[in-house]
Every structure is written in C-alpha cells, then in structure tokens.
Amino acid sequence: MTGFPFNQHGFRVPVFYEHPLNERVRTLMRLEDLFARTRFFSARETFLDHHAALLALFEIIEVAARADLKSDLLQELERQKLVLSALRHHQGIDQELLDNLLDDIDRVIAKILAFTGKVGLHLRENEWLMAIKQRTLLPGGACGFDLPAFHFWLHQPSVRRQNDLQQWLAPLEPIRNGIVIILRILRESGQTTTCSAQHGVFQMMQANTKAVQLLRLSIADGVACVPEISANKYALNIRFLTAEEMTRGTVCDYDITFDLTFCSL
C-alpha cells in the first residue's frame, strides 16, 4: 500500500481499520462483509461474478450457524430501542433522525420475529445448493466437469441467475438489516481522539477496553503503514508496520499521527 483511495473530488481519504474486541462483534462484522460481497457480485452480470456471489452466500450460512444469531440480534435491537427512546425530546438530538432510526428498528424486529427456522435453513434444505457447497470445500472442486448441473446454471441468462440469487438472499435480508443497524449504532457511539505513535509504537495502559467492543483507527493522510493492534483489559498496544515490508514485521521508524475511537453499545 503506497497511498490512500481518492474520493469523488479527487482528494485522498484516510483508511479506516477496525478491531473487534469480542466474538459477537467479530461475527457481525464477518457477516456484514459477506453480505456486502454477495450483494455486490449478485448485482453484476457475468457467470464468474455469480459464482463468487454463491461462494460468499455459502460462507454466510456457515458463519451464521455458529451463533444464536436471531436471538442475539433481537435482544440487542430491543435494548437499543429502549436506550434511543429515552433520548426523545432531549435537546441537541435530531428528532427526525432518531424517529427514522427507531422506525427502522421496529421494522427489522418485526421481520426477524416473522423469520422461521434457523438462519440459512432454506438454503440447507436445497439439495442442489448443498451439493455445490460440498464440492467447493475442495480446491477447484466446482469445475464444470465436477458439477455439470452447476456449469449449466452458470451459463443460463444472467437475469435468471440474478433472480435465483435474489430468491436465495431475500429470506436473509432481515438478518442483514439488523446487523447493519447494530454496527451503525456501534460505530457512531464513540468519541474520537487524535493520538501519536512515537517511532511507530503506541501504548495506552489501563485503557479500560473491558467495556469497549470495537476499536476504530484511521491513519493520517499519506502515511504508508498498517496498524497491528492488540488489546486487553490492562493495555492497548499498536505497532505501525511499513506497508512495503509487512511480512518482515518492520516497524515504522517515524512518528505517526492517527485518530482512535473506542466504540461500545
């Protein structure tokens, strides 16, 4: 990495790094990424895109199966609804934005409550999909000669493939929407502090990370380095490794300014 992406106006923007501090947030963030990939590739038209979309969909049902996702989402959404409802009529709160968010939470709760069975059950009951999923566990196992029926599907018109993908994804949308809301609230919950890593190393003792669920870090514009983060209830440690020599673990030999946010629900 030698720089940062450019926004629509041509200005370089900083890269955000996120470090979840418990398994529940890790699971939500993994699912967030997988849903984004599935939706992105599903919206495209080539058979290679739709192959990638299906692989990401298989990963969603694997990750979702490892947690009691529905009850966790419902519990957190109900808790956030109570917390946010208490902010009504408080000065300094945008009441329209608050009402919209509460309406979104109510809609998602209702749809998750109407969701029957385990997450991804409708996919696991599809023998054709599960046969493909089983073969994809092997490197190169989804080649045309291994799965001729899958090969046939990949060479159907893109509209048909998109419709199939949408049909498989649609029952999972309430889960995705619940994840989006919770992670949005989590990311917007923290206060940002500008920090400095002396010679590429930053340490904060008694960082009170026990109650923190997510660390967000953005590096100042133009710095070609990558943070290596470790945290526990006693300390937060960040080493900034040079982007060109990450495999060697070379720490940057200059001071680095960055923004750090502690997020918690």
Side-chain angles (χ1 to χ4, degrees):
M1 175 169 34
T2 57
F4 293 88
F6 290 80
N7 65 17
Q8 60 181 338
H9 303 295
F11 297 107
R12 294 203 297 186
V13 296
V15 175
F16 278 90
Y17 296 89
E18 297 185 324
H19 185 76
L21 295 177
N22 61 48
E23 192 57 36
R24 185 177 68 157
V25 176
R26 289 188 191 97
T27 297
L28 295 182
M29 291 178 66
R30 287 189 178 108
L31 288 169
E32 176 190 45
D33 177 74
L34 289 168
F35 273 115
R37 274 195 274 156
T38 305
R39 289 160 63 89
F40 174 82
F41 287 117
S42 296
R44 296 169 69 89
E45 296 185 355
T46 74
F47 73 92
L48 290 175
D49 289 314
H50 295 164
H51 189 166
L54 203 54
L55 294 180
L57 186 60
F58 291 153
E59 290 188 65
I60 287 174
I61 61 176
E62 283 301 311
V63 174
R66 300 173 190 171
D68 193 358
L69 194 59
K70 282 172 54 178
S71 62
D72 282 350
L73 288 176
L74 283 171
Q75 183 179 6
E76 189 58 48
L77 287 167
E78 291 284 5
R79 193 173 75 84
Q80 291 303 317
K81 179 181 175 181
L82 289 174
V83 172
L84 293 170
S85 296
L87 298 177
R88 277 199 166 114
H89 311 302
H90 278 220
Q91 291 186 351
I93 301 294
D94 188 321
Q95 294 300 316
E96 183 178 357
L97 287 177
L98 178 61
D99 288 341
N100 289 338
L101 179 55
L102 287 169
D103 287 344
D104 289 341
I105 290 175
D106 282 336
R107 280 193 292 269
V108 171
I109 288 174
K111 289 182 179 180
I112 293 177
L113 286 172
F115 191 101
T116 57
K118 292 185 177 181
V119 177
L121 180 63
H122 68 291
L123 300 174
R124 293 186 181 277
E125 291 178 340
N126 186 316
E127 293 183 5
W128 184 77
L129 284 177
M130 290 303 98
I132 298 169
K133 180 178 179 296
Q134 189 65 30
R135 291 297 307 179
T136 58
L137 298 175
L138 302 174
C143 288
F145 58 83
D146 286 308
L147 293 168
F150 183 43
H151 183 74
F152 174 80
W153 180 79
L154 288 174
H155 288 81
Q156 294 304 296
S158 62
V159 172
R160 175 188 166 178
R161 297 196 305 269
Q162 287 174 327
N163 288 339
D164 287 342
L165 288 166
Q166 181 56 39
Q167 180 181 353
W168 297 328
L169 266 173
L172 299 173
E173 278 299 296
I175 301 299
R176 187 195 77 88
N177 292 336
I179 291 170
V180 167
I181 289 174
I182 291 172
L183 289 179
R184 172 189 167 189
I185 294 172
L186 176 60
R187 288 178 173 125
E188 294 177 354
S189 67
Q191 294 293 323
T192 300
T193 304
T194 299
C195 304
S196 178
Q198 305 298 313
H199 298 288
V201 176
F202 176 83
Q203 185 176 66
M204 180 184 292
M205 302 303 295
Q206 296 180 335
N208 194 28
T209 56
K210 185 177 180 180
V212 176
Q213 294 165 292
L214 177 68
L215 296 175
R216 302 193 78 214
L217 183 153
S218 64
I219 303 175
D221 182 26
V223 180
C225 63
V226 177
E228 180 184 76
I229 304 171
S230 63
N232 56 44
K233 62 182 179 180
Y234 302 111
L236 166 64
N237 295 283
I238 305 173
R239 297 195 312 158
F240 290 89
L241 308 180
T242 57
E244 293 80 7
E245 300 183 60
M246 282 187 294
T247 56
R248 300 180 185 178
T250 303
V251 178
C252 299
D253 59 358
Y254 49 88
D255 296 349
I256 297 169
T257 300
F258 63 98
D259 289 337
L260 180 63
T261 307
F262 292 89
C263 304
S264 60
L265 290 169

